[in-house]
Amino acid sequence: MDIQNLRFARRFDGISGSAIREIFKLLAVPGMISFAGGNPAASALPDETCAELAKELLLDKGKILLQYGATEGYAPLRESLVPYLKDRFSFDCAADEILPVTGSTQAMDLLCKALIDPGDKVVVENPTFLGNMQAIRLYQAQLLPVDSDEDGIRVDELEEVFKREHPKMLYVIPTFQNPTGRTLSLERRKKIAALASQYGVIVAEDDPYRDLRYAGDELPSIKSFDTEGWVAFMGSFSKVISPGLRVGFLCANKTLLRKCTIGKQSSDVHTANLNQAIVDAYLRRGLLMPHVKEICQSYAQQMNTMLGLLDKCGGVARYTRPQGGLFIFAELNEGMDAVQLLTKCVDKGVAYVPGTYFYADGGHMNTFRLNFSMPSVENIKIGMEKLNQVFTENA
Amino acid sequence: MDIQNLRFARRFDGISGSAIREIFKLLAVPGMISFAGGNPAASALPDETCAELAKELLLDKGKILLQYGATEGYAPLRESLVPYLKDRFSFDCAADEILPVTGSTQAMDLLCKALIDPGDKVVVENPTFLGNMQAIRLYQAQLLPVDSDEDGIRVDELEEVFKREHPKMLYVIPTFQNPTGRTLSLERRKKIAALASQYGVIVAEDDPYRDLRYAGDELPSIKSFDTEGWVAFMGSFSKVISPGLRVGFLCANKTLLRKCTIGKQSSDVHTANLNQAIVDAYLRRGLLMPHVKEICQSYAQQMNTMLGLLDKCGGVARYTRPQGGLFIFAELNEGMDAVQLLTKCVDKGVAYVPGTYFYADGGHMNTFRLNFSMPSVENIKIGMEKLNQVFTENA
């Protein structure tokens, strides 16, 4: 039988892979200045420290690290996450309420695996991280977008949707959101925790950018206001140590976490031990926060340079003013099309991601996302001038 | 709302996690001799080589390895897998027909994600690896067990099932099968490749033990007889380098592989780069086969010791005589119950896995699986004597 007749699973109907990936292919041109990615700067990747740690850990505990590990995770890492979560995210969590995962994308996948049947409803911020929208869509859930403003997702609208639609889950990025860079206000954090337990909705709180704060005061996590276990917290070391190591974690109610753990047995058995042990060493030896402080100095300068130039950029109607993270979200004048203009920008040697991809229902053609962590201050200046030229010509 | 009211996804109905895990908890007693695992021996784990490689690779290419990688995999590894597959598994495969994965369990998961809708039928050997049965069950497929004999899965029965049931997929472990240790004959390999394309069934060929051969001649993979792309090949470095690194690979028809790649974007974005680079170094520098040769010498001795003692073990009616791999499968006299007897054995300080767990429909209570790679020759002698005592008393 011709393999072309092969029928794929229905979960792939309408799924074509990440649109951003196609943009990334355009960026292979030498000299291209990319504001499109969401990657840490090369200078922020601690290659020498990781080299020393990897060698030391493998010589010291190689017979354990190279052997099969528990699906539940590398025990020392689970233990060292407890005080880290208390200190950085303001919530108490026992070691056995934490599941190390292969990047926090896996946490999203496991939550969906545990909870979502086809047709179930999942509320997402509008706009939000498109990678996790795809993860949710692959479980054949119906996405319910709820608009956000300067203070994050609108909780008045959220309550109505909870009441009317009985969703299974809310996916939310509370701090320096992707793509907007916005931070959810304290009041709304409290309100979301309360709504979750009032309406029986699991909140998937995704907080990978929190440590990258360049201004303003820290806010406690939504999870810190959760008294009944409805908030599942997803963390990541991709933005503060290394995305290539693929280590994140999920904290959740024990019954839910057990389902996720069984799901993980069949996903990848366990997260690679060496990678977990490197992150554990960062936490246990106090290497993380000094490293984060160093990164933040540089990222703050990059963000402020970009914000200053956006002020003077032709065609730009408005943009967010984040206090941290990796992204700024901007709007062009009404009628301008960020998808069409991307081609002209790429021809000039600069790239961004059109905002439409981050909206569950598309539209918003005049929006775009800028990343400031990858390009140097010098390249931010050059790249913003290129954007200014294209946008001014087409305003 | 009380979190106890949380409703989980239907895919978890009837799924309680691996039964083997519960047995492993019994084994934490000091001095326990375990024939229950499927782990490499501690002495087979190359901690010093991996320590040196990890350091060297991170110092040399750390800025690449610690950054996000492509979902499609680390390009050098995909390239070095091409000659490895040709040499070891006798099939031609281009680099872009190979997807590195986070352990070959992920390959199974991604194939199911790409292909299986609830109610679809998947044929499995009877008995087979229970981890992957769970993976398939989580996609709500119907398992169709087909018996195996000394030459592996019975192809006469298989053809009837293909004809009658129109299954979506066949899952098969052709070499030193888990749990039986049996190897599929050359004729049956050819026949399965032919049946797959005749009836339009994807064959998931899982071949992690092939390099652990202690006697007899190598056979080409089923994939090597596949002319139309119906065979998807899953490989692993867990048994020959390290399970803790979590590196395997999937080779498949490009259209199918693309669906698996999109599925992987939402599973874990990509397999950790450092881990892929360590495996790449093993292949590229010719470190793998000398290491395998060393392991095999020791495992052969362990297997032969165990086989010799099984000959004299009370209560044992028959057992397989593998030419490699990690497992021997045995049958007690009719009426003896390997689940009940396990408790007595554990009390005496020795453990195995009852065979019933490997049968899709259970039963076969008098069967059990023995692993010989983890225990030393000395402990195999002691452990087999303990089994002999318990079985003789209860025969």
Side-chain angles (χ1 to χ4, degrees):
Chain A
M1 195 182 290
D2 190 329
I3 187 89
Q4 299 310 322
N5 296 331
L6 181 61
R7 184 178 58 74
F8 293 103
R10 281 188 291 271
R11 66 180 61 84
F12 275 90
D13 293 351
I15 301 275
S16 59
S18 163
I20 287 192
R21 281 169 42 92
E22 300 309 309
I23 294 174
F24 288 167
K25 287 182 189 160
L26 302 174
L27 307 185
V29 183
M32 180 70 63
I33 294 173
S34 175
F35 301 151
N39 296 11
S43 60
L45 299 171
D47 51 345
E48 288 177 17
T49 307
C50 286
E52 290 305 327
L53 285 175
K55 180 175 178 180
E56 179 198 324
L57 291 164
L58 281 167
L59 287 180
D60 192 30
K61 304 178 189 183
K63 297 296 185 187
I64 292 166
L65 298 179
L66 295 177
Q67 191 54 277
Y68 278 109
T71 306
E72 287 81 355
Y74 182 60
L77 175 61
R78 296 173 91 192
E79 285 158 19
S80 59
L81 281 167
V82 172
Y84 170 70
L85 290 170
K86 178 70 179 163
D87 178 47
R88 302 296 309 136
F89 301 92
S90 336
F91 66 89
D92 292 299
C93 190
D96 63 357
E97 294 169 311
I98 303 170
L99 178 66
V101 291
T102 309
S104 68
T105 292
Q106 190 181 56
M108 189 78 233
D109 185 66
L110 294 176
L111 284 174
C112 290
K113 204 172 190 175
L115 293 167
I116 304 299
D117 283 316
D120 280 350
K121 293 167 181 173
V122 176
V123 180
V124 296
E125 292 169 278
N126 203 32
T128 193
F129 172 42
L130 87 173
N132 277 349
M133 275 200 285
Q134 178 177 300
I136 297 164
R137 282 194 172 114
L138 275 172
Y139 284 89
Q140 297 162 278
Q142 184 187 342
L143 292 181
L144 303 175
V146 166
D147 286 336
S148 59
D149 60 23
E150 285 65 37
D151 288 331
I153 191 166
R154 287 183 48 185
V155 288
D156 51 345
E157 211 184 307
L158 189 64
E159 179 157 15
E160 280 182 29
V161 171
F162 277 14
K163 206 179 291 182
R164 194 176 63 230
E165 304 281 355
H166 306 290
K168 204 67 197 282
M169 184 156 73
L170 160 67
Y171 170 60
V172 62
I173 310 168
T175 317
F176 317 133
Q177 201 245 13
N178 179 5
T180 65
R182 287 169 178 158
T183 293
L184 190 70
S185 70
L186 180 64
E187 282 316 304
R188 291 189 184 182
R189 288 169 190 247
K190 290 179 187 170
K191 182 72 179 173
I192 288 173
L195 290 175
S197 89
Q198 185 179 347
Y199 293 97
V201 177
I202 289 290
V203 175
E205 179 179 19
D206 185 12
D207 208 2
Y209 309 110
R210 142 173 305 252
D211 284 336
L212 302 176
R213 179 176 281 280
Y214 323 128
D217 295 325
E218 289 187 350
L219 293 175
S221 62
I222 303 171
K223 177 84 180 151
S224 70
F225 301 109
D226 172 35
T227 52
E228 296 187 62
W230 288 95
V231 180
F233 185 91
M234 310 191 286
S236 173
F237 295 97
S238 290
K239 311 303 179 186
V240 290
I241 302 177
S242 152
L245 287 178
R246 311 304 308 130
V247 181
F249 56 92
L250 171 65
C251 306
N253 162 272
K254 274 186 200 174
T255 315
L256 174 55
L257 200 69
R258 173 75 185 136
K259 295 285 179 199
C260 293
T261 305
I262 294 172
K264 186 170 166 63
Q265 286 173 13
S266 301
S267 288
D268 63 1
V269 186
H270 67 83
T271 295
N273 301 323
L274 172 62
N275 310 243
Q276 293 187 72
I278 290 173
V279 170
D280 174 56
Y282 261 88
L283 295 177
R284 203 167 279 272
R285 302 180 188 185
L287 300 173
L288 183 61
M289 293 319 290
H291 177 64
V292 165
K293 205 176 156 190
E294 215 180 292
I295 299 176
C296 283
Q297 283 181 355
S298 164
Y299 285 178
Q301 213 190 336
Q302 289 158 257
M303 181 180 76
N304 290 329
T305 304
M306 190 174 266
L307 284 171
L309 293 166
L310 267 169
D311 269 338
K312 306 170 206 152
C313 188
V316 173
R318 65 186 65 81
Y319 53 89
T320 59
R321 293 199 148 269
Q323 296 189 310
L326 302 177
F327 305 112
I328 301 168
F329 200 64
E331 258 178 59
L332 294 167
N333 295 333
E334 206 62 46
M336 289 173 72
D337 182 330
V339 174
Q340 280 182 359
L341 290 172
L342 177 61
T343 317
K344 296 190 183 183
C345 289
V346 167
D347 286 346
K348 267 237 177 334
V350 63
Y352 55 79
V353 180
T356 183
Y357 302 130
F358 301 100
Y359 289 90
D361 297 329
H364 302 83
M365 299 307 293
N366 61 330
T367 61
F368 62 107
R369 188 190 76 175
L370 295 173
N371 164 265
F372 52 78
S373 60
M374 278 281 277
S376 64
V377 166
E378 187 53 31
N379 276 343
I380 288 172
K381 289 177 184 166
I382 300 170
M384 287 303 297
E385 181 45 34
K386 289 174 192 276
L387 284 187
N388 181 40
Q389 284 171 27
V390 176
F391 292 163
T392 303
E393 278 166 25
N394 293 276
Chain B
M1 194 182 291
D2 190 330
I3 186 89
Q4 298 311 321
N5 296 331
L6 182 62
R7 184 178 58 76
F8 293 103
R10 283 188 289 272
R11 65 180 63 83
F12 275 90
D13 293 352
I15 301 276
S16 59
S18 163
I20 287 192
R21 279 170 41 94
E22 301 308 310
I23 294 174
F24 287 168
K25 287 183 189 159
L26 303 174
L27 307 184
V29 183
M32 179 71 64
I33 294 173
S34 175
F35 301 151
N39 296 11
S43 60
L45 299 170
D47 51 345
E48 289 177 18
T49 306
C50 286
E52 290 306 328
L53 285 175
K55 180 174 177 179
E56 178 197 325
L57 291 164
L58 281 167
L59 287 180
D60 191 31
K61 304 179 188 181
K63 298 297 184 186
I64 293 165
L65 298 179
L66 296 177
Q67 191 53 276
Y68 278 110
T71 306
E72 287 81 354
Y74 182 60
L77 175 60
R78 297 173 92 191
E79 284 158 19
S80 59
L81 281 167
V82 172
Y84 170 71
L85 290 170
K86 179 68 180 166
D87 178 47
R88 302 296 309 136
F89 301 92
S90 337
F91 66 87
D92 291 300
C93 191
D96 63 358
E97 294 168 312
I98 304 170
L99 178 66
V101 292
T102 309
S104 69
T105 292
Q106 190 181 57
M108 189 79 232
D109 185 66
L110 294 176
L111 284 174
C112 289
K113 204 172 191 174
L115 292 167
I116 304 298
D117 283 314
D120 280 350
K121 294 167 180 172
V122 176
V123 179
V124 296
E125 291 169 279
N126 204 31
T128 193
F129 172 42
L130 87 173
N132 278 348
M133 274 200 285
Q134 178 176 299
I136 297 165
R137 283 193 172 116
L138 274 172
Y139 285 88
Q140 298 162 278
Q142 183 187 344
L143 292 181
L144 304 175
V146 166
D147 287 336
S148 59
D149 60 24
E150 285 64 37
D151 287 331
I153 190 166
R154 286 183 48 184
V155 289
D156 50 345
E157 211 186 306
L158 188 65
E159 178 157 16
E160 281 181 28
V161 171
F162 278 14
K163 205 179 289 182
R164 194 176 63 231
E165 304 282 355
H166 307 290
K168 204 67 196 281
M169 185 156 70
L170 161 66
Y171 170 59
V172 62
I173 309 168
T175 317
F176 316 133
Q177 201 246 12
N178 179 5
T180 65
R182 287 167 179 157
T183 293
L184 191 68
S185 70
L186 179 64
E187 282 316 304
R188 291 189 184 181
R189 288 169 190 245
K190 290 181 187 170
K191 183 71 179 175
I192 287 173
L195 289 176
S197 92
Q198 185 179 347
Y199 292 97
V201 178
I202 290 289
V203 175
E205 179 179 18
D206 185 12
D207 208 1
Y209 310 110
R210 141 173 307 250
D211 283 336
L212 302 176
R213 178 176 281 280
Y214 323 129
D217 295 324
E218 290 187 349
L219 293 175
S221 61
I222 302 171
K223 177 83 179 150
S224 70
F225 301 109
D226 171 35
T227 52
E228 295 186 62
W230 288 95
V231 180
F233 185 89
M234 311 191 285
S236 173
F237 294 97
S238 290
K239 310 303 180 188
V240 291
I241 302 177
S242 152
L245 286 178
R246 313 302 308 132
V247 181
F249 56 93
L250 171 65
C251 306
N253 163 272
K254 275 187 200 174
T255 314
L256 174 55
L257 200 69
R258 172 75 186 137
K259 295 286 178 197
C260 293
T261 305
I262 294 172
K264 186 170 166 62
Q265 286 173 12
S266 300
S267 288
D268 63 0
V269 185
H270 66 84
T271 295
N273 301 322
L274 171 62
N275 310 244
Q276 292 187 72
I278 290 173
V279 170
D280 174 57
Y282 260 88
L283 294 177
R284 205 167 279 271
R285 301 180 189 185
L287 301 172
L288 183 62
M289 294 319 290
H291 177 64
V292 165
K293 205 176 155 189
E294 214 179 294
I295 299 174
C296 284
Q297 283 181 354
S298 164
Y299 286 176
Q301 213 191 336
Q302 288 158 258
M303 180 179 77
N304 291 329
T305 304
M306 190 174 266
L307 285 171
L309 293 166
L310 268 169
D311 269 338
K312 307 170 204 148
C313 188
V316 172
R318 64 185 67 81
Y319 52 89
T320 59
R321 294 199 147 269
Q323 296 188 312
L326 303 177
F327 305 112
I328 301 167
F329 200 65
E331 256 176 62
L332 295 166
N333 295 333
E334 206 62 47
M336 289 173 72
D337 183 331
V339 174
Q340 280 183 359
L341 290 172
L342 178 60
T343 318
K344 297 190 182 185
C345 289
V346 168
D347 287 345
K348 267 236 175 335
V350 63
Y352 54 79
V353 180
T356 183
Y357 303 129
F358 301 100
Y359 289 90
D361 298 328
H364 302 83
M365 300 307 293
N366 61 330
T367 62
F368 62 106
R369 188 190 76 176
L370 295 173
N371 164 265
F372 52 77
S373 59
M374 279 281 277
S376 64
V377 165
E378 188 54 31
N379 276 342
I380 289 172
K381 289 178 183 165
I382 300 170
M384 287 302 298
E385 180 47 34
K386 289 174 192 278
L387 284 187
N388 180 41
Q389 285 171 26
V390 176
F391 292 162
T392 303
E393 279 166 23
N394 294 274

